[in-house]
Amino acid sequence: MSEAQAQDASSRLVVKHSVVIAGHRTSVSLEDAFWRALKDIAAQDGVSLAGLIARVDAGRGEANLSSALRVFVLERALEVHPPLEGEGRTAKQAGVG
């Protein structure tokens, strides 16, 4: 296995972290790539990782926290790299599959 393949495989590993949100301890399971992205976003925003997670938690409504965090990371990524024209294309039209 090449170094790139090993890094890609480790990015997919689900890692469980305990966090304190509003005074309550909870566990969140996310792929390592999402944890790294959340840490980067927290640093960019000048907040702690726990503070960032609490902010996402406060706005998630009925969504599962892990899912809300994944969507948050995706939305931030799309702010930085907006989709190309034709964002409503099917996967086949986009050359996937």
Side-chain angles (χ1 to χ4, degrees):
M1 180 181 293
S2 72
E3 185 177 330
Q5 289 172 320
Q7 184 176 12
D8 187 45
S10 70
S11 291
R12 292 187 219 132
L13 290 175
V14 175
V15 181
K16 188 180 228 178
H17 285 271
S18 291
V19 293
V20 177
I21 301 171
H24 298 95
R25 183 173 287 281
T26 188
S27 294
V28 180
S29 297
L30 291 172
E31 293 76 8
D32 189 55
F34 284 102
W35 284 117
R36 289 194 316 266
L38 284 168
K39 288 174 187 175
D40 288 346
I41 292 168
Q44 291 167 10
D45 290 0
V47 298
S48 67
L49 180 59
L52 180 65
I53 292 172
R55 188 169 68 191
V56 172
D57 180 58
R60 71 182 166 106
E62 298 295 317
N64 170 284
L65 180 56
S66 294
S67 295
L69 289 166
R70 286 185 188 94
V71 170
F72 173 78
V73 168
L74 174 61
E75 288 175 344
R76 283 293 290 261
L78 290 173
E79 286 175 11
V80 174
H81 301 287
L84 300 173
E85 279 189 45
E87 62 186 24
R89 298 178 299 174
T90 66
K92 190 168 189 169
Q93 290 169 328
V96 179

